[in-house]
């Protein structure tokens, strides 16, 4: 972070009174801008004024891009929009009230004719016409309404916009642009009022507002929201010419209170110094960039839907049209004559750097006003940052601030000429619309997740139902089985009982039969015994007979043998046969 003569605003306390005296001497070489070489030449721009009046001054309805279906992303041509310039006169300060007590103001304002007369001397004046002429009595509210409000409304409609304050040091640029109005809300400057209007108009559900706050100090771009970030690079899109600062802190704003806190933080980091012309002179150009992103509602974008062809699905898949607009509010550091401001050492370096960048801006505006083929945009970072504001696509409103002191007539003239040239610059306003494919993709992702969840929920419900039905069926089956088993058991018991009874009966019958049979058997047994006895007797008889027959046979054999022997022996004495028979019988 650069240091030296410059102080942070939280170090140098802001004092609304000018305590310094200035010298009347003017050194032309320190002038940041080349003034009209022929100041007597009428500087009225009636043609341009009438051309632009409607486009720039009107409320949002008059904004060309907001008309009907015009100004879509495809509308590359844009609509012309001249840079509007208002002049604001600061009241005499305490020092001037004393020092210039005997002198008339160097300017005379005719707000009703939107004219400013710059005194050349006691007899001659040069007359200039501006879009708005704001006297020293103009309220902050009125200044906002005529200078910034049309631009803010244009930004809300999707166009880039710039509000810038230019003027000699100590003439009220910061007062006009940056007053927070903490003690008295009537003092609120353009920045605070612009954000109030923006926040009141956007829907925080569908739109977004984010800000970066920067200072261009000694040709390096510092982040006022993060002082460690002191060399932010400027990136230019070669095709569209869009300027972006990817390194800058971007803070989303959701309410005015947090925005005011952010402004306080940024202001505290801004370089300021006590110079002869301003006790708290801004030593840097401050840029507040407000990015407004809005989704386009109400207008049906798909013409097919007008024919009734669009399905719900097609509607869902249609990306939202979004408008991205950037409002740049610039509080330039004051142009100053180094001899008058009393800049020394580091403050001198700062003053040179300020004047150099303001001079580069003046050159660009001259080139644009004269339709030069070459516009030296790249000569300074300030002009690079503001390339869309002058000769670009933004609606630009400039407030030039002047003081009343005749001692600073030269600087006042220079400022007036800067304003007059700026009024000649014609921008080509373009609506910044694009389809929000990112959020469509996010939306589809969410829808997909929801569908998956819904499917899973249905699947689960289906599975639960199946399980429930299965359980029910199983219960029914088991109940039927149980009933069947019970019935079977009952049947079985019945049959068993019947069977047992029939068995019993059979047994009884059998018993009876048995009994009967037993009786019969007994009978049969005795018969059989008898038979057996008889058989035994018979057999015995047979065996006795057999034995008898064998005996007989034996006897016969014996008899025969005996008889034979006898016969042999008794050749002589034969026994009578009867004897033999007796023997046999015995
Ligand atoms: N319209 C006004 N009514 C009352 N006081 C004003 C008005 N304009 C400026 N002042 C006072 O004049 C002083 C200088 O104003 P301011 O700091 O805004 O000037 P500046 O142009 O921003 O200066 P620098 O370029 O040095 O930063 C401040 O004290 C401020 O309160």
């Amino acid at each position: 972070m650069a240091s030296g003569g410059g102080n942070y605003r939280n170090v140098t306390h802001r004092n609304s009174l000018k305590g310094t005296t200035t010298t009347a001497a003017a050194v032309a070489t320190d002038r940041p801008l080349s003034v009209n070489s022929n100041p007597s030449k009428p500087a009225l721009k009636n043609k341009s004024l009438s051309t632009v009046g409607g486009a720039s001054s009107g409320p949002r309805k008059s904004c060309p891009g907001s008309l009907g279906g015009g100004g879509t992303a495809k509308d590359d041509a844009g609509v012309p929009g001249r840079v509007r310039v208002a002049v604001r006169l600061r009241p005499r300060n305490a020092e001037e009230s004393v020092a210039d007590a005997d002198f008339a103001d160097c300017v005379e304002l005719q707000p009703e004719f939107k004219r400013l007369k710059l005194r050349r001397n006691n007899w001659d004046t040069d007359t200039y016409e501006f879009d708005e002429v704001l006297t020293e009595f103009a309220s902050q509210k009125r200044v906002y309404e005529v200078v910034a409000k049309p631009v803010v409304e244009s930004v809300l409609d999707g166009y880039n916009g710039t509000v810038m304050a230019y003027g000699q040091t100590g003439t009220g640029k910061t007062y006009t642009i940056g007053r927070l109005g903490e003690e008295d809300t009537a003092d609120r400057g353009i920045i605070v009022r612009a954000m109030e209007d923006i926040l009141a108009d956007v829907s925080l559900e569908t739109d977004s507002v984010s800000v970066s706050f920067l200072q261009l100090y000694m040709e390096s771009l510092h982040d006022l929201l993060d002082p460690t970030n002191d060399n932010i690079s400027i990136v230019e899109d070669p095709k569209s010419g869009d300027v972006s600062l990817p390194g800058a802190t971007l803070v989303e704003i959701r309410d005015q209170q947090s925005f005011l806190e952010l402004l306080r933080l940024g202001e505290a980091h801004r370089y300021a110094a006590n110079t002869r012309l301003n006790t708290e002179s801004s030593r840097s150009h401050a840029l507040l960039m407000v990015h407004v992103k809005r989704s386009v509602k109400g207008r049906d974008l798909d013409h097919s839907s007008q024919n009734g062809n669009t399905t719900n699905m097609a509607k869902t898949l249609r990306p939202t049209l979004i408008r991205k607009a950037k409002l740049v509010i610039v509080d330039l550091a004051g142009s100053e004559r180094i001899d008058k401001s009393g800049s020394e050492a580091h403050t001198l370096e700062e003053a040179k750097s300020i004047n150099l960048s303001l001079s580069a801006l003046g050159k660009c505006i001259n080139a644009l006003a004269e339709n030069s083929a070459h516009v030296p945009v790249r000569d300074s970072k300030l002009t690079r940052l503001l390339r869309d504001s002058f000769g670009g696509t933004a609606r630009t409103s400039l407030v030039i601030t002047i003081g009343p002191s005749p001692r600073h007539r030269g600087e006042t003239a220079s400022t007036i000429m800067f304003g007059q040239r700026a009024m000649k610059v014609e921008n080509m306003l373009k609506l910044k619309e694009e389809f929000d494919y990112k959020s469509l993709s996010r939306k589809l992702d969410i829808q997909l997740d929801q569908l998956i969840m819904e499917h899973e929920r249905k699947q689960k419900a289906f599975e639960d139902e199946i399980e429930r039905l299965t359980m029910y069926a199983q219960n029914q089956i088991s109940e039927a089985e149980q009933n069947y088993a019970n019935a079977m058991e009952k049947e079985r018991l019945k049959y068993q009982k019947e069977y047992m009874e029939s068995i019993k009966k059979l047994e009884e019958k059998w018993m009876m039969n048995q009994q009967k049979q037993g009786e019969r058997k007994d009978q049969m047994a005795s018969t059989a015994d008898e038979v057996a006895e008889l058989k035994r007797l018979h057999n015995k008889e047979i065996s006795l007979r057999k034995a008898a027959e064998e005996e007989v046979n034996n006897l016969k054999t014996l008899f025969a043998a005996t008889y034979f022997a006898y016969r042999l022996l008794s050749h002589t004495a034969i026994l009578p046969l009867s004897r033999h028979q007796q023997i046999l019988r015995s």
Side-chain angles (χ1 to χ4, degrees):
M1 176 68 78
S3 59
N7 295 310
Y8 290 137
R9 282 196 193 268
N10 56 348
V11 178
T12 309
H13 297 292
R14 186 163 266 269
N15 181 348
S16 62
L17 296 176
K18 303 287 181 182
T20 48
T21 51
T22 54
T23 58
V27 180
T29 46
D30 284 331
R31 287 176 165 193
L33 296 170
S34 58
V35 296
N36 191 345
S37 55
N38 182 8
S40 61
K41 192 177 151 196
L44 305 181
K45 307 291 169 198
N46 293 334
K47 185 171 165 260
S48 315
L49 284 171
S50 58
T51 314
V52 168
S56 316
S57 63
R60 290 164 74 186
K61 288 155 210 84
S62 68
C63 165
S66 66
L67 293 175
T72 65
K74 294 167 206 142
D75 186 1
D76 281 341
V79 286
R82 181 179 58 76
V83 171
R84 280 176 55 82
V85 182
V87 58
R88 185 182 198 186
L89 176 66
R90 172 178 55 70
R92 283 188 177 203
N93 58 31
E95 184 268 330
E96 286 162 346
S97 298
V98 176
D100 301 331
D102 299 333
F103 302 96
D105 287 351
C106 71
V107 290
E108 184 195 327
L109 304 184
Q110 296 179 325
E112 63 281 18
F113 301 115
K114 300 187 177 180
R115 275 193 205 135
L116 175 151
K117 290 187 171 184
L118 177 66
R119 236 177 275 284
R120 226 189 304 167
N121 51 47
N122 284 341
W123 306 277
D124 282 337
T125 55
D126 294 319
T127 303
Y128 300 93
E129 200 163 292
F130 285 93
D131 293 308
E132 289 293 341
V133 170
L134 300 158
T135 69
E136 65 269 47
F137 307 112
S139 67
Q140 290 282 74
K141 182 172 184 279
R142 168 138 178 82
V143 172
Y144 170 74
E145 275 167 4
V146 299
V147 173
K149 197 168 176 127
V151 179
V152 170
E153 288 174 340
S154 198
V155 167
L156 288 165
D157 280 338
Y159 294 88
N160 281 349
T162 304
V163 178
M164 191 171 85
Y166 178 96
Q168 187 196 0
T169 181
T171 51
K173 295 180 295 300
T174 306
Y175 183 89
T176 302
I177 295 284
R179 272 248 154 160
L180 297 185
E182 288 169 301
E183 283 154 24
D184 182 356
T185 52
D187 281 350
R188 286 167 299 154
I190 284 173
I191 286 180
V192 177
R193 290 172 194 266
M195 185 55 81
E196 274 169 7
D197 277 0
I198 290 170
L199 289 174
D201 201 71
V202 297
S203 151
L204 291 175
E205 280 159 25
T206 52
D207 308 334
S208 77
V209 179
S210 44
V211 300
S212 298
F213 198 13
L214 308 129
Q215 67 177 341
L216 183 60
Y217 176 76
M218 304 273 280
E219 275 304 278
S220 74
L221 198 53
H222 299 202
D223 194 336
L224 285 171
L225 303 179
D226 176 10
T228 57
N229 195 4
D230 61 2
N231 193 15
I232 296 168
S233 43
I234 302 168
V235 177
E236 284 146 280
D237 185 326
K239 260 192 188 171
S240 64
D242 280 351
V243 172
S244 59
L245 307 169
T249 306
L250 195 65
V251 180
E252 186 161 356
I253 304 296
R254 300 190 70 82
D255 61 84
Q256 187 70 6
Q257 200 47 44
S258 54
F259 176 63
L260 289 176
E261 278 162 26
L262 215 66
L263 283 183
R264 262 179 239 121
L265 174 80
E267 273 296 314
H269 294 135
R270 197 173 168 195
Y271 282 111
N274 187 345
T275 67
R276 267 190 227 155
L277 295 175
N278 191 354
T279 50
E280 202 177 343
S281 178
S282 308
R283 309 312 290 166
S284 65
H285 308 298
L287 295 98
L288 180 85
M289 293 186 172
V290 185
H291 300 266
V292 180
K293 193 171 139 189
R294 312 190 77 179
S295 58
V296 180
K297 290 166 283 180
R299 244 181 1 160
D300 208 342
L301 305 159
D302 190 341
H303 297 299
S304 64
S305 64
Q306 289 166 4
N307 308 329
N309 296 338
T310 314
T311 60
N312 277 344
M313 184 61 129
K315 274 183 190 163
T316 314
L317 291 177
R318 191 171 48 207
T320 315
L321 190 65
I322 51 164
R323 288 182 180 164
K324 280 182 178 175
K326 185 170 67 177
L327 172 64
V328 182
I329 304 180
V330 190
D331 175 14
L332 292 173
S335 57
E336 63 187 68
R337 289 187 177 177
I338 285 160
D339 59 329
K340 281 189 183 180
S341 62
S343 298
E344 285 172 353
H346 191 79
T347 318
L348 178 65
E349 289 309 306
E350 286 174 349
K352 280 183 182 170
S353 174
I354 292 167
N355 286 345
L356 217 63
S357 58
L358 289 175
S359 165
L361 179 63
K363 279 181 194 163
C364 284
I365 284 175
N366 285 351
L368 287 163
E370 286 158 19
N371 277 324
S372 287
H374 175 65
V375 181
V377 174
R378 307 200 66 79
D379 279 6
S380 82
K381 282 192 176 164
L382 180 65
T383 48
R384 283 174 67 199
L385 282 166
L386 295 176
R387 67 180 295 170
D388 194 43
S389 309
F390 295 95
T393 65
R395 182 182 294 279
T396 297
S397 186
L398 173 70
V399 56
I400 56 167
T401 54
I402 54 172
S405 173
R407 286 173 289 146
H408 304 310
R409 190 197 166 280
E411 291 86 339
T412 303
S414 169
T415 302
I416 288 169
M417 293 321 297
F418 180 92
Q420 289 287 297
R421 288 202 189 89
M423 281 173 77
K424 288 185 185 172
V425 176
E426 193 86 43
N427 287 356
M428 199 52 86
L429 313 187
K430 281 187 191 166
L431 202 55
K432 311 279 177 183
E433 282 186 337
E434 58 185 53
F435 287 111
D436 191 358
Y437 289 105
K438 261 191 194 168
S439 73
L440 174 68
S441 152
R442 274 198 304 274
K443 204 164 109 187
L444 288 176
D445 274 350
I446 292 167
Q447 273 184 12
L448 185 66
D449 283 351
Q450 281 171 347
L451 285 174
I452 289 171
M453 268 165 63
E454 177 69 2
H455 172 74
E456 283 175 353
R457 196 186 59 73
K458 282 187 176 162
Q459 178 79 18
K460 175 90 175 41
F462 175 74
E463 282 170 6
D464 287 352
E465 184 63 12
I466 292 285
E467 201 177 313
R468 193 187 66 76
L469 287 173
T470 310
M471 289 278 285
Y472 177 75
Q474 275 174 354
N475 287 344
Q476 293 286 306
I477 289 168
S478 0
E479 201 177 312
E481 278 176 354
Q482 190 60 47
N483 289 344
Y484 177 75
N486 291 345
M488 287 295 287
E489 182 66 9
K490 204 169 153 189
E491 274 304 278
R492 192 182 68 76
L493 290 172
K494 187 180 146 199
Y495 283 116
Q496 194 177 31
K497 193 177 164 196
E498 286 174 7
Y499 173 74
M500 294 303 284
E501 281 169 1
S502 58
I503 292 285
K504 203 172 167 189
K505 279 179 190 164
L506 283 172
E507 274 179 353
E508 281 168 8
K509 270 186 191 171
W510 185 77
M511 291 287 280
M512 279 166 65
N513 287 343
Q514 284 293 99
Q515 220 172 345
K516 282 178 189 168
Q517 274 180 4
E519 285 169 7
R520 246 185 252 137
K521 264 186 185 168
D522 286 349
Q523 281 176 356
M524 281 172 72
S526 60
T527 311
D529 286 349
E530 282 171 17
V531 172
E533 188 60 27
L534 286 173
K535 270 186 182 170
R536 193 179 61 77
L537 291 172
H538 173 71
N539 287 339
K540 194 176 176 182
E541 186 60 37
I542 290 170
S543 49
L544 284 174
R545 192 183 281 189
K546 267 186 182 170
E549 279 173 2
E550 278 178 17
E551 189 67 34
V552 166
N553 286 336
N554 288 338
L555 286 173
K556 273 179 181 175
T557 310
L558 187 59
F559 172 74
T562 312
Y563 179 74
F564 183 71
Y566 167 75
R567 285 263 308 186
L568 281 170
L569 291 166
S570 64
H571 271 306
T572 55
I574 303 177
L575 287 169
L577 189 53
S578 59
R579 183 64 194 141
H580 287 290
Q581 284 175 334
Q582 275 179 346
I583 296 165
L584 273 176
R585 277 189 196 116
S586 63

